[in-house]
Amino acid sequence: MSNLAPSAALAPALPVSASSGAAIELVGVNKWYGEFHVLKDINLRVHRGERIVICGPSGSGKSTMIRCINRLEEHQQGSIIVDGIELTNDLKRIDEIRREVGMCFQHFNLFPHLTILENLTLAPIWVRKMPKKDADELAMHFLRKVKIPEQANKYPGQLSGGQQQRVAIARALCMKPKIMLFDEPTSALDPEMVKEVLETMVSLAEEGMTMLCVTHEMGFARQVANRVIFMDAGQIIEMNEPEAFFSNPQHERTKLFLSQILGH
Amino acid sequence: MNDFTTWDVFRNLLAAVPWTIYLSLIAFAGGAVVSLLLLSLRFAFPRVAGTPVRLYVQLFQGTPLLMQLFLVYFGLALMGVQTTPLFAASLCLSVYSSAYLTETWYGCVLAVPKGQWEASSSLGLKHWQQMLLIVLPQALRLSVPPTVGLMVQIVKNTSLASIVGFVELTRASQIIANATFEPFLAYGAVAFIYFVICFSISLCGRHLEKRIRI
């Protein structure tokens, strides 16, 4: 697959059946913060089961882009279609999409006044209307999956950063999302805790979850990404399969960026 | 006529303590009810209710409680509406404390980190669920220290009710000072009693803070 110009049609070289369609589709998306043009004509088609890593310098709009996908940010132009539903101001649709899209944040954003178990069961109980007992079971299932079932009755403040981020992943998974968004999930972690979080994400990728991940963990990108996107100044500058992206970047800005983050 | 012992002074002052406490409780409860109402309005209809609520707060924070008392007690009387000192004091102290509580509690809700809203949004919670389950419980914890501080202010401000003739601690101490010709003893004793009340509230507050620390 060759490198792509910013707003070209983006057909991935992926074995995706035609019937499955796109999980996420962004067409001509523009966003401004007042005068500041933060997203410039973004076109992106994410297929079901696809894993995309987004990198780029800070302020390039990568976080803003994925935050638009579950409407934490509003876009002003273009259309965003998630799981067949177009994002508009219709609150019902926004809720519908948010139920299907899980998100992990740089600073975890666990609810400090609730135990780990309560953090996990809150949305299944209140949003999915699940009986508490079932929600507890579901939560324990995912806590085992992220390998911290023994922390269920502690509070977030009593856990390490890596553990908190794994709880945050489990919390999102409890909603059984079809798509997971990660916004720099390891950037706030001590180096020795990055690995445990990445391992959790890798195992999620192996199960076929559709993932969009803003990260500078290039090892992770190599290992799990189907495509790597490089953004700068609100634009998608380059998009390619990881091998080609890292070994043969096309754009000067991509080369510069890669040399800076891989250089040391 | 030097029949007043120190104990007599204290005994008579202590008899007035319940009135200071009642007045404080009325002011706090009244203020809390009004400010919860104002806050609900402000959060439910930010565009419509925001400005009136802000004006209300500014008005009553920006005028002396003493003037408010004068206006209600003497002003209403001039207009032919007779009020009792208890009513005037209760009304003014409630309004006064509601202004401060509204501003303080509003700040506490805003102080809950934005990430908490975002995380609960991303899980699909509705706005009222976010408010009720995520934000208010955390705002409540944040509100304990400033609320305790305000309660102490309210207790001290009840002394202004003496100006309209309501017999609480301060008024009682004036009466006793006049009767005993020992102002230093009477006012010293009353200051000490105020301190004991306020200090107890602070201690309770500190205890509460420890218990609900996250």
Side-chain angles (χ1 to χ4, degrees):
Chain A
M1 183 178 160
S2 67
N3 168 45
L4 291 156
S7 56
L10 308 166
L14 255 189
V16 178
S17 66
S19 63
S20 65
I24 305 168
E25 193 162 9
L26 284 79
V27 183
V29 172
N30 279 280
K31 176 173 175 61
W32 289 264
Y33 285 127
E35 290 287 294
F36 181 58
H37 199 171
V38 59
L39 292 180
K40 296 175 189 161
D41 207 23
I42 300 283
N43 291 288
L44 176 65
R45 207 178 146 90
V46 183
H47 288 260
R48 289 183 205 285
E50 198 180 10
R51 300 173 296 277
I52 291 184
V53 163
I54 303 155
C55 59
S58 64
S60 60
K62 49 197 193 313
S63 288
T64 307
M65 183 175 84
I66 69 164
R67 287 160 60 88
C68 281
I69 292 169
N70 67 351
R71 200 55 162 204
L72 289 182
E73 306 274 357
E74 208 171 307
H75 62 286
Q76 278 103 31
Q77 242 177 47
S79 64
I80 300 177
I81 300 161
V82 183
D83 197 32
I85 307 168
E86 180 167 2
L87 266 173
T88 61
N89 281 324
D90 185 352
L91 287 176
K92 251 194 186 148
R93 286 192 190 184
I94 294 172
D95 281 341
E96 236 173 280
I97 287 173
R98 283 175 176 167
R99 280 198 290 268
E100 308 307 329
V101 179
M103 183 153 189
C104 288
F105 300 85
Q106 182 177 358
H107 297 288
F108 332 132
N109 298 355
L110 295 177
F111 307 129
H113 61 299
L114 302 177
T115 64
I116 300 306
L117 193 67
E118 288 166 342
N119 263 276
L120 267 66
T121 57
L122 185 87
I125 290 173
W126 287 87
V127 180
R128 294 262 190 243
K129 314 286 176 209
M130 192 183 275
K132 190 181 175 300
K133 198 171 149 283
D134 298 356
D136 283 348
E137 266 171 41
L138 181 75
M140 287 312 295
H141 167 76
F142 282 111
L143 278 182
R144 276 192 292 276
K145 215 165 147 180
V146 300
K147 302 194 177 76
I148 34 177
E150 72 282 359
Q151 312 285 359
N153 294 313
K154 289 194 182 162
Y155 285 89
Q158 297 169 291
L159 270 57
S160 73
Q163 290 173 326
Q164 288 192 47
Q165 193 59 293
R166 283 186 281 157
V167 170
I169 294 173
R171 178 175 69 177
L173 291 178
C174 278
M175 283 297 282
K176 300 267 178 72
K178 294 177 181 160
I179 298 159
M180 282 288 289
L181 307 174
F182 293 88
D183 189 2
E184 306 207 27
T186 57
S187 301
L189 295 176
D190 289 339
E192 71 263 34
M193 288 169 188
V194 170
K195 194 165 158 263
E196 63 188 54
V197 171
L198 289 180
E199 277 169 3
T200 309
M201 291 166 64
V202 169
S203 78
L204 199 60
E206 283 164 356
E207 288 165 26
M209 175 68 77
T210 307
M211 292 165 73
L212 253 80
C213 186
V214 175
T215 184
H216 292 150
E217 295 294 334
M218 291 303 134
F220 173 78
R222 273 213 172 88
Q223 193 180 347
V224 308
N226 300 110
R227 279 188 288 169
V228 181
I229 290 175
F230 174 70
M231 284 182 78
D232 191 22
Q235 288 175 305
I236 294 181
I237 301 292
E238 189 159 344
M239 166 153 40
N240 217 331
E241 288 167 3
E243 259 322 301
F245 181 86
F246 290 114
S247 60
N248 189 21
Q250 302 294 307
H251 256 270
E252 280 311 311
R253 271 183 287 181
T254 318
K255 285 177 193 166
L256 183 66
F257 178 77
L258 286 176
S259 73
Q260 274 165 350
I261 63 167
L262 299 173
H264 51 83
Chain B
M1 294 293 281
N2 286 341
D3 291 332
F4 281 96
T5 62
T6 307
W7 167 239
D8 284 327
V9 171
F10 263 97
R11 193 165 48 91
N12 281 294
L13 280 176
L14 286 174
V17 166
W19 285 107
T20 287
I21 290 175
Y22 291 152
L23 203 53
S24 304
L25 287 177
I26 292 171
F28 183 74
V33 169
V34 173
S35 64
L36 285 178
L37 207 77
L38 292 176
L39 281 174
S40 311
L41 282 173
R42 193 166 180 179
F43 282 116
F45 313 102
R47 252 168 247 165
V48 187
T51 309
V53 171
R54 259 199 309 277
L55 278 176
Y56 173 92
V57 169
Q58 290 305 325
L59 181 66
F60 289 102
Q61 280 190 344
T63 50
L65 180 55
L66 192 58
M67 297 307 131
Q68 297 167 18
L69 264 171
F70 281 159
L71 283 174
V72 168
Y73 188 65
F74 300 116
L76 284 183
L78 276 178
M79 288 192 286
V81 184
Q82 280 300 327
T83 55
T84 63
L86 175 63
F87 176 80
S90 302
L91 179 70
C92 289
L93 280 162
S94 296
V95 168
Y96 169 85
S97 53
S98 75
Y100 281 91
L101 286 172
T102 301
E103 198 61 5
T104 306
W105 288 346
Y106 186 69
C108 291
V109 172
L110 293 193
V112 174
K114 203 165 135 254
Q116 295 290 309
W117 285 99
E118 291 181 348
S120 45
S121 289
S122 76
L123 289 166
L125 265 71
K126 293 193 166 48
H127 188 264
W128 67 267
Q129 293 172 327
Q130 295 178 290
M131 200 62 165
L132 200 71
L133 302 167
I134 306 298
V135 176
L136 285 182
Q138 293 182 57
L140 193 69
R141 287 163 165 79
L142 292 172
S143 73
V144 171
T147 305
V148 169
L150 274 175
M151 283 173 91
V152 168
Q153 293 294 335
I154 291 171
V155 170
K156 291 190 290 182
N157 278 326
T158 57
S159 63
L160 289 173
S162 62
I163 238 71
V164 294
F166 185 78
V167 184
E168 37 63 74
L169 260 178
T170 302
R171 185 82 192 109
S173 69
Q174 287 170 345
I175 295 167
I176 291 165
N178 289 341
T180 59
F181 302 110
E182 287 194 86
F184 192 76
L185 175 65
Y187 294 135
V190 85
F192 178 72
I193 294 173
Y194 273 117
F195 176 78
V196 169
I197 297 173
C198 294
F199 189 63
S200 317
I201 293 175
S202 297
L203 279 184
C204 290
R206 218 173 297 166
H207 180 69
L208 194 64
E209 257 175 78
K210 263 186 210 146
R211 273 194 50 188
I212 63 170
R213 180 163 298 162
I214 343 174

